[in-house]
Amino acid sequence: MQDCIFCKIAKHELPAKILYEDDQVIAFNDIDPKAPTHLLVIPKRHITTLNDLEEGDEALVGRLQVTAAKLAKELGFAEAGYRVVMNCNEDGGQTVWHIHMHVLAGRSLTWPPG
Ligand code: 5GP
Ligand code: ZN
């Protein structure tokens, strides 16, 4: 998708601190971290919001979650704990229109979110 910053990161056209990549997903540090560790795991394919997921996308969404769990172990915060969040549309707080899984760790996170 033209002008999508996350598509550009996925294609290595914009810089990011990439932590993991395969043929379907890529994980990188959030540019404005909301916790000591704040990663984003995204599909390489452009999907605008969670509402645009279709039948057949189950494995892709699962891969996002499995990638988050793998990185949590590799980066050493799996045991302490972490939070995964996917925001959808205005009320969900979405600001980048390419779906992404936030992975937040490194401090005690409050609940409920604001
Ligand atoms: P949202 O509000 O859509 O759930 O989350 C978007 C996230 O993308 C925010 O946490 C924001 O800091 C991050 N972000 C926005 N632009 C960039 C960018 O150019 N590079 C990286 N690495 N993160 C970005
Ligand atoms: Zn995109």
Side-chain angles (χ1 to χ4, degrees):
M1 179 70 80
Q2 239 178 346
D3 296 331
C4 171
I5 52 173
F6 284 1
C7 281
K8 287 184 177 163
I9 288 173
K11 288 188 273 184
H12 298 196
E13 292 172 5
L14 267 183
K17 172 71 181 138
I18 295 170
L19 303 163
Y20 174 82
E21 178 172 17
D22 62 30
D23 57 326
Q24 292 182 51
V25 308
I26 185 165
F28 50 92
N29 281 334
D30 196 290
I31 204 168
D32 181 20
K34 313 301 188 294
T37 298
H38 187 174
L39 326 176
L40 300 171
V41 189
I42 71 167
K44 287 189 168 178
R45 192 180 106 219
H46 183 86
I47 301 171
T48 306
T49 79
L50 291 176
N51 294 329
D52 300 303
L53 288 169
E54 296 172 345
E55 282 189 33
D57 288 333
E58 294 88 347
L60 179 61
V61 175
R63 191 182 284 240
L64 297 177
Q65 185 68 74
V66 170
T67 299
K70 198 158 53 179
L71 284 169
K73 290 187 197 113
E74 281 176 17
L75 299 175
F77 56 81
E79 289 307 316
Y82 58 99
R83 181 170 296 164
V84 297
V85 180
M86 296 183 82
N87 297 327
C88 182
N89 275 341
E90 311 293 345
D91 279 1
Q94 185 174 4
T95 60
V96 174
W97 305 98
H98 176 135
I99 66 167
H100 46 281
M101 179 175 281
H102 296 264
V103 183
L104 299 139
R107 66 175 170 85
S108 184
L109 298 159
T110 57
W111 189 262

